Amino acid sequence: MGSSEGMGASSKPANAPSQAPPLKQYGVTKPISMAGPTVADLKRTQNLEKFLADSGLYEGNEEASKRVEVLQRLEQIVKNWVKQLTRLKGYTDQMVQDANALIVTFGSYRLGVHGPGADLDTLCIGPSYVNRESDFFYTLHEILAGLDEVTELQPISDAHVPVMKFKFDGISIDLLYASISRLIVPEELDISDVSVLHNVDEPTVRSLNGCRVADQILKLVPNVEYFRTTLRCLKYWAKRRGLYSNVTGFLGGVNWALLVARVCQMYPNAVPSMLVSRFFRVYTQWRWPNPVMLCPIEENELGFSLWHPRKNPRDRTHLMPIITPAYPCMNSSYNVSTSTLRVMMEQFQHGNKICGDIDLNKSCWRALFEPYLFFEGYKNFLQIDIVAADVDDLRNWKGWVESRLRQLTLMIERDTFGKLQCHPYPREYIDPSRKCLHNAFFMGLQRKEGEVAQEGCQFDIRASVEEFRHSVNSYMFWKPGMDIHVSHIRRRQIPCYVFPDGLKRSRPSRSAAQLKKSPTSIHGNEVSPTEHGEKNFKRKHDDRGVRQNVSLKKHCVSPPVDSLTGGSPCLRAGDMSVHAISDCQDLKNVRSTRLSNCEQDQFDRRMSPESGTECASNSSGVTSVSSNGGSSPEDVGSALVGGFVEATTSGRFEDTTFMEDSVKLGNNTLSGRNNDVLQKELQAQLEPIAMSGMFLDAKGTFDNDTLQKTVIRRLSLTSTA
C-alpha cells in the first residue's frame, strides 16, 4: 500500500523516525506534500537500498582510499607546475614561494553519489598569470605525459568546457582549469563566493560552476542522505534504460541531480522509495519546456549571460530547460532534442507504471532496472562505423564522432520536419572480427506517431547524412586512418556483436489462439478478446494473401565486410551505402520496453515474425523496394540514405511492438488507490509552475510572490473541490 500522501491526515506510523517540518521553504514553490513515510514506505526503502548495494553501486574502502591518494598526488603536481611557471615568467623568489594551485572536485564525487570505477571530475584553480592555452594544455600536458602513472592522456581544448582526460594510476580523471583574477590562490578559497567570477572568461565560469552548482544543490535539498540515495537510484535507472548521456542529447549527471533535487523539494519529508515513485509521477506530467528550477534566477552586476527566454531568442528553442542554481544560472540540458525528449518521456511513463506496481506490492525493484531492449524497439537503424589506425587515434576519433551524433539527430529532424524520429543509443560496440580498430554507434529510426504514411511516400536523408559526414571530417586533429561509414540496416540485419554472447534474441511467432488469449484495457478503452484477436490476426495476413511464417533465428549474421566497405577490410570516409529506410510505422506503435519477467513473456508472445525475404545489401546502386514484390513489412514506406528508392504503402504490416501492458504516451494515468487525489494535487502544483514564464517582473526576473500566491490559490481550490 502506498503512502497516504495528501489525504489530510498524517500517515506516519508510531515507530517511524520523527521528522519535524522543515524550518525553511525549499524551492520556488511550496511543497506538494509534507507527508512522511508509512511502514510500507520504510520497508520499500530498505529493499531499495539493499538492491542498490547488491548491484555494486557503492564504492569499497580500498578504492575510496585510492581516490584520495590520487587527488593528493595530482594536487602536488599542479602546485609544483605553478611554481615552475612562476619562476619561468620572471617573478620574484617570494612570489615563487607563495605560488599556489588547488584541486577541487565536482560532479558525482562532490555530490557523494559516485560508484566503483566512476570518473573523477576535478578542477584545477590557478592564478591569473597561468593561462589555459599554453600553460595548461601544453606545459602541464607535457608533465603529465611524462609520468608513468598517467595513461590515455587526451586533451580536448576546443570543447564547450575545455578538459584534459586521462587515467592516473587506473583512476579515470577529467581535469578542467580555471584561472581566477588573483596573483595568489589561497588554500581556503571559497568558490561559492561570486567574487571568484570577477574578470574571468566564460569557459572559466563554466569550469568553476561545476563545483558551485554541486555545492548549491546540497544546500537546497531538505535531506542530503535521502537525496543521495534517490539520485544514485535514478542514475542507475537512466544508465540501464539508455538515457544517461548528455553528449548524445539525453541527460548527464548534473541534469539528473537537478531533477531529483526538485522532487526532494516538493516532498521534503519523503524517504527514497517515495521520492523515486514521485520522480516519475512528477516528470510524466511536467509541461516542458517550462523550466525546472531549484531557486529563483538571480541577476548580478558581473553581466554574464543568463538563461532568459524573453531576452535571448536562442533560449526559446530549448525543449527541456533544467536550470542550474548558481550564478550565472544556465540551462544544463540544451542538448536535448525533440527525439531524445520523446524517448525520455516514454521511459518516464515506463518507470511510473513500474513504480505504481511496486507501491501496490505487485512488483519489485528489480523490474524497474530491467535493461532497455533497444534493438527490439525499432525496425530500422542507422549504423555509424568508425575506424582508426591505433588505440589513441580511435579514442580521440570516437569521442569526436560521438559528440557529433546529436547534430545528426538535429539534421534529420530538421530535414524531415520532425516526421522521422531518431533514437541515438549512447553506447559504442566493437566488432571483434574487424582487423582494424573499430567502433560502432547505432540510431533507431521511426515515423512520428500520428503521421500517416501515404502512397509512395519516402524520407530522403541523403543530404542530412552527407552534412553530418562533412561535419565529422572537419575534425582539426584528423589523422590518416580515421574513417567513418554510415549505413542503414533493418532489424534482421543487426550484427551479432551487439548482442550478449553474439546471439540474436529469438522472437517466436504467435498462433491465433495466443492472439485471442486475454482482453486488453488501455486507459479505460475496453477491447474485447474477440476484437483484439481478430484485429491482430488480420494484420498477420497481409494484402498479398501470404501468411508470414518463418523459422526462428537464434544466430544472426553480420553483413559481409565487402558489402560495407567496397572490398576493403577498413571503412573509407567517402563510403555511403545505398539503402531504403522503412518509415511506415504503426500509428499505435508504442516501443517495447522490458518489464518484469512475466511481462517480458507477454511481450515475447506478441512479437511478430519477420519476413524471410532478404532485403537488398548495402551496396552502391539503385534499390527498389515494393510491398508487392515479396518484401518484408519493414520495407513498406522508405527513406533515402545514399540513392533513389521507390516504394509503395499498399501492404499491411504487423504491429510488432504492441503490448497489453503498454503505457500510451501523453496519458498521465497513475497507479494506486489514492491516484485521483494525488494527481489532482500534483496537477494543481504543476499548472502554475507551467505558467511560470508569465510571472516576470519589470526587470525580467521571476516574481516568486505572485507565483506562490497562484500555487496556494490552486491548491485551495483543489482542496475545496
Side-chain angles (χ1 to χ4, degrees):
M1 179 73 182
S3 61
S4 303
E5 155 187 299
M7 297 299 291
S10 175
S11 57
K12 185 173 67 175
N15 60 343
S18 60
Q19 296 184 1
L23 298 178
K24 65 175 183 177
Q25 174 184 303
Y26 292 89
V28 295
T29 58
K30 287 188 176 181
I32 290 178
S33 172
M34 298 293 294
T38 64
V39 173
D41 291 321
L42 295 174
K43 179 63 175 176
R44 279 191 287 271
T45 296
Q46 291 178 354
N47 293 337
L48 176 60
E49 291 173 344
K50 182 179 184 303
F51 176 83
L52 297 178
D54 293 343
S55 299
L57 299 185
Y58 293 90
E59 184 179 54
N61 293 332
E62 183 177 349
E63 186 175 356
S65 299
K66 187 176 181 180
R67 285 184 188 271
V68 174
E69 294 174 4
V70 166
L71 284 172
Q72 292 173 346
R73 176 81 172 104
L74 184 60
E75 185 164 49
Q76 190 58 49
I77 290 171
V78 299
K79 287 180 183 294
N80 294 337
W81 163 65
V82 168
K83 289 182 181 294
Q84 175 186 337
L85 286 174
T86 305
R87 183 178 294 107
L88 291 174
K89 291 176 184 289
Y91 287 94
T92 64
D93 291 342
Q94 184 62 45
M95 277 290 293
V96 172
Q97 182 179 347
D98 294 338
N100 190 32
L102 299 178
I103 289 291
V104 294
T105 62
F106 62 99
S108 62
Y109 188 81
R110 195 175 187 92
L111 291 173
V113 295
H114 63 287
D119 292 349
L120 193 54
D121 297 314
T122 57
L123 169 68
C124 175
I125 303 177
S128 58
Y129 56 86
V130 177
N131 64 60
R132 180 183 299 104
E133 289 74 22
S134 60
D135 296 331
F136 179 74
F137 277 111
Y138 180 76
T139 307
L140 183 59
H141 176 271
E142 293 301 310
I143 293 174
L144 293 174
L147 298 176
D148 294 336
E149 305 99 312
V150 175
T151 58
E152 301 181 15
L153 183 59
Q154 179 187 7
I156 310 176
S157 59
D158 58 341
H160 186 64
V161 181
V163 61
M164 198 141 53
K165 293 175 175 285
F166 55 94
K167 285 188 176 181
F168 195 108
D169 199 13
I171 301 292
S172 296
I173 293 180
D174 289 353
L175 180 62
L176 281 56
Y177 181 71
S179 174
I180 61 175
S181 57
R182 299 190 187 186
L183 288 176
I184 298 176
V185 179
E187 283 290 336
E188 302 300 325
L189 178 68
D190 181 11
I191 60 173
S192 64
D193 192 333
V194 74
S195 64
V196 300
L197 303 180
H198 281 281
N199 298 321
V200 298
D201 58 13
E202 293 211 359
T204 299
V205 172
R206 290 191 287 267
S207 299
L208 286 167
N209 263 13
C211 308
R212 289 161 46 80
V213 166
D215 289 345
Q216 280 295 100
I217 290 174
L218 295 178
K219 291 177 183 178
L220 293 171
V221 294
N223 187 307
V224 172
E225 288 307 314
Y226 290 172
F227 162 76
R228 285 173 172 161
T229 301
T230 307
L231 178 56
R232 194 182 295 272
C233 170
L234 268 301
K235 285 180 64 176
Y236 182 52
W237 174 83
K239 291 175 182 177
R240 298 284 283 179
R241 306 302 293 180
L243 305 178
Y244 194 89
S245 175
N246 180 63
V247 70
T248 54
F250 293 103
L251 301 181
V254 67
N255 309 128
W256 292 106
L258 292 169
L259 291 181
V260 170
R262 186 68 187 104
V263 174
C264 291
Q265 292 179 338
M266 292 176 172
Y267 302 91
N269 293 325
V271 294
S273 64
M274 299 168 64
L275 291 171
V276 171
S277 177
R278 299 329 181 253
F279 177 92
F280 293 112
R281 186 176 301 171
V282 167
Y283 292 117
T284 53
Q285 299 186 67
W286 196 273
R287 295 183 179 181
W288 305 107
N290 297 287
V292 171
M293 299 185 299
L294 301 187
C295 60
I297 295 177
E298 298 181 2
E299 296 193 19
N300 190 286
E301 67 277 3
L302 294 179
F304 286 108
S305 177
L306 305 172
W307 185 82
H308 201 308
R310 286 194 175 182
K311 292 183 179 179
N312 306 322
R314 187 173 182 180
D315 292 345
R316 300 172 197 164
T317 65
H318 295 170
L319 302 177
M320 192 181 188
I322 304 173
I323 311 304
T324 56
Y327 175 83
C329 298
M330 295 178 284
N331 176 23
S332 63
S333 53
Y334 59 87
N335 278 353
V336 173
S337 68
T338 302
S339 290
T340 53
L341 177 59
R342 170 189 61 85
V343 173
M344 286 188 282
M345 293 304 295
E346 290 179 12
Q347 294 302 318
F348 287 161
Q349 292 281 3
H350 164 73
N352 189 42
K353 178 185 181 301
I354 298 298
C355 284
D357 291 340
I358 293 173
D359 289 343
L360 296 174
N361 296 322
K362 292 181 178 180
S363 188
C364 60
W365 288 112
R366 185 173 300 278
L368 181 65
F369 300 97
E370 288 290 334
Y372 174 62
L373 301 181
F374 172 73
F375 292 103
E376 295 187 10
Y378 295 90
K379 295 179 180 179
N380 295 279
F381 303 85
L382 283 184
Q383 179 175 337
I384 300 97
D385 290 284
I386 60 173
V387 296
D390 58 48
V391 175
D392 291 337
D393 287 352
L394 181 63
R395 181 172 58 252
N396 297 336
W397 183 232
K398 177 186 67 177
W400 169 252
V401 172
E402 186 177 18
S403 71
R404 307 304 297 175
L405 288 179
R406 183 177 67 90
Q407 297 299 323
L408 177 58
T409 300
L410 295 176
M411 292 169 187
I412 294 175
E413 288 178 351
R414 177 200 65 199
D415 295 341
T416 63
F417 305 99
K419 295 181 179 181
L420 183 62
Q421 295 177 328
C422 309
H423 181 174
Y425 198 53
R427 178 180 173 183
E428 72 250 15
Y429 294 89
I430 300 174
D431 185 355
S433 66
R434 294 280 176 87
K435 294 180 181 180
C436 51
L437 295 171
H438 166 265
N439 275 109
F441 296 96
F442 292 86
M443 181 180 292
L445 299 171
Q446 73 174 15
R447 172 179 287 276
K448 181 180 179 181
E449 184 178 4
E451 289 291 331
V452 180
Q454 299 180 4
E455 188 79 15
C457 66
Q458 58 187 20
F459 289 124
D460 187 345
I461 60 173
R462 287 175 296 182
S464 308
V465 173
E466 186 68 13
E467 182 180 353
F468 167 72
R469 192 173 62 82
H470 281 294
S471 173
V472 169
N473 287 331
S474 66
Y475 183 44
M476 63 183 300
F477 301 106
W478 184 91
K479 294 181 180 180
M482 292 181 176
D483 290 330
I484 182 172
H485 176 82
V486 181
S487 58
H488 162 248
I489 61 172
R490 294 186 174 84
R491 185 160 51 197
R492 61 177 173 270
Q493 298 172 302
I494 296 171
C496 304
Y497 57 80
V498 306
F499 298 102
D501 303 322
L503 297 178
K504 186 176 181 180
R505 193 171 180 276
S506 59
R507 297 165 59 239
S509 59
R510 300 175 297 171
S511 65
Q514 286 176 316
L515 292 174
K516 300 180 181 181
K517 189 171 182 180
S518 60
T520 303
S521 177
I522 303 295
H523 311 302
N525 297 324
E526 298 296 333
V527 180
S528 68
T530 304
E531 286 177 315
H532 186 66
E534 288 176 352
K535 178 180 178 181
N536 286 278
F537 184 79
K538 185 179 295 183
R539 287 178 177 221
K540 195 155 186 171
H541 295 75
D542 61 16
D543 286 351
R544 292 164 291 186
V546 179
R547 177 77 177 266
Q548 299 174 15
N549 193 6
V550 296
S551 59
L552 302 182
K553 297 181 180 179
K554 285 191 71 68
H555 295 270
C556 66
V557 180
S558 298
V561 173
D562 289 349
S563 70
L564 289 173
T565 65
S568 172
C570 294
L571 305 177
R572 299 196 302 269
D575 284 341
M576 283 295 298
S577 67
V578 181
H579 219 293
I581 296 180
S582 168
D583 67 350
C584 192
Q585 302 286 342
D586 194 332
L587 301 183
K588 297 182 179 179
N589 182 1
V590 179
R591 292 189 299 103
S592 62
T593 52
R594 184 171 181 178
L595 308 178
S596 63
N597 292 334
C598 178
E599 290 170 320
Q600 185 61 41
D601 291 340
Q602 293 178 356
F603 170 73
D604 292 340
R605 291 196 299 270
R606 302 190 66 85
M607 290 297 289
S608 69
E610 294 177 344
S611 171
T613 305
E614 293 296 331
C615 64
S617 63
N618 292 342
S619 58
S620 299
V622 179
T623 304
S624 178
V625 182
S626 171
S627 62
N628 297 322
S631 64
S632 165
E634 299 175 15
D635 299 333
V636 180
S638 63
L640 302 177
V641 174
F644 178 77
V645 180
E646 184 178 309
T648 65
T649 57
S650 59
R652 291 179 179 266
F653 60 95
E654 184 77 56
D655 183 358
T656 61
T657 54
F658 180 84
M659 292 192 304
E660 291 182 1
D661 297 326
S662 297
V663 181
K664 187 175 181 180
L665 301 182
N667 189 307
N668 297 325
T669 303
L670 304 176
S671 300
R673 298 182 180 180
N674 299 326
N675 287 342
D676 293 339
V677 175
L678 295 178
Q679 187 168 359
K680 289 179 180 178
E681 186 181 59
L682 180 58
Q683 195 64 37
Q685 175 77 357
L686 292 181
E687 283 184 6
I689 292 176
M691 298 171 62
S692 59
M694 298 173 61
F695 301 113
L696 298 172
D697 59 19
K699 296 180 180 180
T701 57
F702 282 95
D703 185 349
N704 294 299
D705 292 337
T706 304
L707 185 58
Q708 289 287 6
K709 291 176 182 177
T710 306
V711 173
I712 295 171
R713 181 176 62 84
R714 294 288 302 179
L715 290 174
S716 300
L717 291 174
T718 304
S719 300
T720 304

